[in-house]
Amino acid sequence: MVAAYWLSWTAAAFCMELEKQLKRGLATGYAELEENSQRLKGRLMVTKRLQYNAADKSRAYCSFNERTHAIPLNFFYKTLVILKRKVLDPSIRKKLLHLCGCFEELDVPGNVKELLNQVHFDRQTSRFEPAFRLAKLMLSHMSVLHRGAKEECFSFLFEVHSLYEMYVGRVLQQMTLGREAVIRLQHKEVKLLRNEDSGLDNIQLIPDMVLGERQVNGEYVWTLIMDTKWKEITKYQQGDIYQMYAYVTGYPDARRAVLLYPAMDEAAYGRNWTLAANSRKRICVRMVRITHWLKTQEDLRGIIAESGWEEK
């Protein structure tokens, strides 16, 4: 796959993640400020009060902490406007420019590498960490776009499956499937077995994506399960099929479990199996194009339509 396309769909995943968090507001942090005012605010700085207010006893030179948007994390996000020159997809370039406009109130940021080292997360800003990791991946010398870099690239190769999974999941979440439709990523509410000795449920099932409906009684019925695999579709393994068998049997209402591979070979094709013990349940292998998020969405639309779901 062309390396420049990798940057495009990484940027698409970044845009969706950052936009989701910005709807809840910019990240904020505390900055230490000093002010020479007529009222006491925070901590009185005695030395500076004597230095600046010797002739005016009505003023107080104070130091205090104030919440602000001017923190390294926001400055870092503002620098990402430089990526629009590298991304091939014009719609993603437009989205990057729009996101940078959300940080318009901030001054021009400093050096990007220095900002990377200054960013720290706390309880208030942790929701921005997934977007930060994607942004760091795009800018880092570990990216395959920088083949001349001296830094090792194994970290990039290790995370690419997670990146692919996140991207497909985010595209799926952007689709409109009806008011009652529910999409969950990394679902962890179903276990495969029950231990007869302890009475506890064992073997946690964690499919990448599940799609279902919320019932009137508040319960969820999951009918479609999808799991991403970052490899060529022709290299699927028997272990992958066993995994999907566990999913489609562990979720009692699931009618179909789908393995999603990136479309790398136009001549490749999907596969279909019906469970011998239950003809209403199927396991399928499908491909999704990742060169453009609209193409990814189009392929996902066809895959979920096979399971009886249609975009509204």
Side-chain angles (χ1 to χ4, degrees):
M1 186 178 301
V2 180
Y5 282 131
W6 289 9
L7 178 60
S8 290
W9 56 264
T10 305
F14 163 77
C15 287
M16 284 189 283
E17 181 63 33
L18 182 58
E19 186 176 38
K20 181 179 71 173
Q21 300 305 330
L22 288 177
K23 288 179 180 178
R24 297 169 54 186
L26 292 177
T28 59
Y30 285 100
E32 186 172 351
L33 304 176
E34 295 181 0
E35 185 178 276
N36 192 15
S37 65
Q38 291 184 328
R39 63 188 183 91
L40 183 62
K41 186 177 182 180
R43 179 169 57 89
L44 179 66
M45 304 183 72
V46 178
T47 302
K48 289 192 174 182
R49 182 175 187 275
L50 294 174
Q51 179 181 353
Y52 294 105
N53 301 327
D56 187 357
K57 304 300 183 182
S58 65
R59 304 186 72 84
Y61 202 101
C62 307
S63 172
F64 55 93
N65 291 326
E66 186 172 87
R67 292 196 73 82
T68 177
H69 293 142
I71 59 175
L73 178 62
N74 288 335
F75 282 125
F76 171 72
Y77 284 144
K78 186 169 184 177
T79 65
L80 296 181
V81 70
I82 64 176
L83 286 172
K84 69 183 182 69
R85 298 194 299 268
K86 301 287 186 179
V87 175
L88 298 177
D89 190 328
S91 64
I92 300 176
R93 289 201 301 267
K94 183 178 179 181
K95 180 73 73 173
L96 283 168
L97 193 59
H98 169 73
L99 289 173
C100 289
C102 297
F103 303 92
E104 190 174 17
E105 67 181 71
L106 301 177
D107 296 330
V108 178
N111 183 274
V112 178
K113 289 186 177 181
E114 291 180 0
L115 288 171
L116 273 172
N117 296 326
Q118 294 172 13
V119 172
H120 301 285
F121 292 95
D122 56 25
R123 185 171 57 87
Q124 299 294 328
T125 59
S126 60
R127 61 190 177 92
F128 285 94
E129 193 167 0
F132 175 78
R133 290 201 305 268
L134 286 169
K136 188 176 179 180
L137 180 61
M138 289 187 286
L139 296 173
S140 171
H141 287 296
M142 290 187 292
S143 170
V144 294
L145 295 178
H146 301 277
R147 294 193 181 274
K150 296 180 180 179
E151 299 179 37
E152 295 180 354
C153 65
F154 68 88
S155 291
F156 180 86
L157 296 175
F158 177 78
E159 292 187 6
V160 71
H161 171 73
S162 297
L163 183 61
Y164 169 57
E165 173 195 320
M166 180 186 295
Y167 168 67
V168 174
R170 292 292 181 265
V171 173
L172 181 64
Q173 286 182 319
Q174 294 295 310
M175 299 173 67
T176 306
L177 301 174
R179 188 175 62 179
E180 302 301 326
V182 181
I183 297 169
R184 292 284 187 268
L185 307 183
Q186 289 290 299
H187 194 247
K188 300 178 181 179
E189 297 179 11
V190 175
K191 292 188 178 180
L192 183 62
L193 303 174
R194 172 160 292 180
N195 189 312
E196 293 184 358
D197 298 321
S198 66
L200 300 176
D201 292 337
N202 295 154
I203 314 298
Q204 179 79 67
L205 299 179
I206 314 178
D208 293 341
M209 291 157 275
V210 294
L211 198 157
E213 287 184 315
R214 180 183 174 91
Q215 304 299 297
V216 177
N217 60 7
E219 295 183 356
Y220 294 97
V221 174
W222 307 109
T223 57
L224 175 61
I225 300 169
M226 292 188 283
D227 211 68
T228 56
K229 299 295 179 185
W230 179 255
K231 53 188 174 185
E232 293 182 26
I233 192 172
T234 55
K235 296 182 179 180
Y236 76 91
Q237 299 173 340
Q238 202 169 50
D240 299 333
I241 305 302
Y242 288 154
Q243 180 185 19
M244 303 311 288
Y245 179 83
Y247 288 159
V248 79
T249 55
Y251 284 74
D253 299 299
R255 298 191 299 266
R256 185 177 298 232
V258 183
L259 283 165
L260 295 177
Y261 292 84
M264 299 181 181
D265 183 0
E266 293 183 359
Y269 55 91
R271 289 170 171 78
N272 305 281
W273 296 273
T274 299
L275 269 62
N278 189 340
S279 60
R280 294 185 300 105
K281 292 178 178 283
R282 304 182 70 195
I283 295 175
C284 306
V285 174
R286 295 291 185 267
M287 295 184 298
V288 290
R289 291 168 292 176
I290 54 177
T291 54
H292 191 293
W293 74 271
L294 284 175
K295 292 182 178 179
T296 307
Q297 191 178 68
E298 181 181 345
D299 292 341
L300 287 174
R301 186 180 297 115
I303 291 168
I304 65 176
E306 292 177 346
S307 300
W309 288 91
E310 294 183 3
E311 196 168 12
K312 305 299 182 181

